Amino acid sequence: MTVMEQRGAYKPSPPPAWQPRTDPAPLLPDTEPYRVLGTEAAAKADPDLLRRLYAHLVRGRRYNAQATALTKQGRLAVYPSSTGQEACEVAAALVLQEQDWLFPSYRDTLAAVARGVDPVEALTLLRGDWHTGYDPHEHRVAPLCTPLATQLPHAVGLAHAARLKGDDVVALALVGDGGTSEGDFHEALNFAAVWQAPVVFLVQNNGFAISVPLAKQTAAPSLAHKAVGYGMPGRLVDGNDAAAVHEVLSEAVQRARTGGGPTLVEAITYRVDAHTNADDATRYRGEGEVEAWRAHDPIQLLEHELTERGLIDDAGIEAARQDAEALAADLRERMNRDPRLDPADLFAHVFAEPTPQLREQQALLEAELAAEQGFGQEGTH
């Protein structure tokens, strides 16, 4: 029999029956972003929680405005505003317990402040004065991360280590929609799901990776759908609905804390301001788009709910605004002080044991400073 005849006689058998390792149905996100405010679910929301969220949102909006003004005055080198995204920032901070960790990106200074970090210390990195500006261990807030998504594997590693040690710790990592296009995003979610690490990923989908719209980043039905491919639940939530974000994140954190593993939450929100003070947002989006999102403002949504239910009056609203003004005044006064900087701080806290290259760089700087000081002294004679 020829080879061709042998091939013709071969009839492949059907493949063995295959079943998916995980039923994908429970992992799929809702078809529409989950909402609380303006729905029947709002009646079940804790009034004290709603008032607390409102106070933080008002403070957050004023904080963003003041930090942006400080940038224009030259007191900050750069400021990535989170105006319009305050509900995500505040909810992420408030759902965590004291022992938990928050892993922010560069736009998440408000989340760090809501977690308890001093506002001036939260902005120190953006002023260019220090490596971080605050002690990460004091408030369990990791350093602000400028490279996209590199904080996500860090969050997974910390959460996994805590679980191995038996510590009651959950890590919540913040990332933007642009960060989901990075390899670190894939690696973090894959490891988190395989290890069942107690970590929650919150994607603040504000529509743009600087100027690149979401449609040019992914063809997925939603970013929350990406969770299914890693074997974790995906949740889709209205990111401007503070009560909804808080509820969804609370459930995800509790699931992680009780051994249920990681969750990917996508919050649909919008960056009202430009990417940073160095960006001209009018080059890639129209004012009509921005105004449409202003009509879905997180503060207005919550204030309307509170007033409609009689949970806050004019005095309560004014008290929240006055508290926000006090925060802004204190931030303005302290940020306008000239800091005392020591060039040697550049080499502090980089490595536990300085590398030869670091020592060499420090010696070069010290020599340059000594020479400059000597030149200045000669000039006074």
Side-chain angles (χ1 to χ4, degrees), residues 154-370:
H154 302 163
V156 175
L158 183 142
H160 180 54
R163 188 173 67 87
L164 292 176
K165 292 173 62 179
D167 293 342
D168 179 22
V169 170
V170 173
L172 196 161
L174 304 174
V175 67
D177 51 287
T180 66
S181 299
E182 297 290 329
D184 293 85
F185 175 82
H186 160 79
E187 294 157 6
L189 268 68
N190 194 55
F191 275 121
V194 171
W195 289 337
Q196 288 293 282
V199 60
V200 176
F201 303 97
L202 173 59
V203 179
Q204 297 180 78
N205 179 5
N206 62 24
F208 292 93
I210 306 182
S211 61
V212 180
L214 184 67
K216 291 187 177 181
Q217 299 180 60
T218 179
S222 74
L223 295 175
H225 276 80
K226 293 179 181 288
V228 182
Y230 299 102
M232 70 177 71
R235 294 296 308 273
L236 187 63
V237 62
D238 182 345
N240 286 17
D241 184 334
V245 179
H246 189 277
E247 180 181 326
V248 169
L249 288 179
S250 294
E251 292 174 357
V253 167
Q254 180 62 17
R255 180 176 180 273
R257 196 180 306 281
T258 55
T263 302
L264 173 64
V265 178
E266 177 187 2
I268 307 299
T269 185
Y270 196 78
R271 168 172 53 79
V272 173
D273 290 343
H275 174 67
T276 68
N277 52 296
D279 173 43
D280 180 7
T282 62
R283 298 180 62 184
Y284 54 84
R285 67 184 190 187
E287 185 59 27
E289 177 182 319
V290 179
E291 287 304 313
W293 276 96
R294 288 187 190 277
H296 193 63
D297 182 86
I299 296 178
Q300 293 178 11
L301 288 175
L302 187 50
E303 186 175 301
H304 178 76
E305 185 71 37
L306 289 169
T307 53
E308 283 292 301
R309 293 175 55 188
L311 299 177
I312 197 170
D313 55 15
D314 290 343
I317 293 173
E318 183 59 26
R321 292 174 179 171
Q322 289 299 323
D323 178 64
E325 286 301 326
L327 169 74
D330 177 69
L331 179 61
R332 185 168 57 246
E333 191 275 328
R334 290 195 289 146
M335 287 294 292
N336 279 321
R337 301 174 191 169
D338 290 328
R340 295 182 179 180
L341 305 178
D342 182 356
D345 286 345
L346 284 169
F347 307 97
H349 309 297
V350 179
F351 293 98
E353 180 63 33
T355 64
Q357 293 82 1
L358 201 64
R359 292 196 188 96
E360 180 182 356
Q361 293 169 11
Q362 184 173 4
L364 285 171
L365 178 60
E366 290 173 350
E368 290 180 9
L369 292 174

Side-chain angles (χ1 to χ4, degrees), residues 6-40:
Q6 290 176 346
R7 287 180 177 175
Y10 173 71
K11 294 182 179 180
S13 61
W18 175 83
Q19 292 293 330
R21 286 189 291 270
T22 304
D23 179 6
L27 306 182
L28 288 169
D30 296 332
T31 55
E32 293 289 334
Y34 177 69
R35 296 181 176 88
V36 169
L37 301 178
T39 73
E40 294 180 358

Side-chain angles (χ1 to χ4, degrees), residues 8-78:
Y10 173 71
K11 294 182 179 180
S13 61
W18 175 83
Q19 292 293 330
R21 286 189 291 270
T22 304
D23 179 6
L27 306 182
L28 288 169
D30 296 332
T31 55
E32 293 289 334
Y34 177 69
R35 296 181 176 88
V36 169
L37 301 178
T39 73
E40 294 180 358
K44 301 177 183 178
D46 180 5
D48 289 336
L49 172 63
L50 295 181
R51 284 188 286 261
R52 186 182 178 204
L53 287 169
Y54 177 75
H56 274 280
L57 291 184
V58 175
R59 281 168 58 91
R61 179 64 54 83
R62 189 64 184 90
Y63 168 81
N64 271 314
Q66 185 59 68
T68 299
L70 288 167
T71 305
K72 295 177 180 179
Q73 296 162 8
R75 286 297 181 178
L76 284 174
V78 65

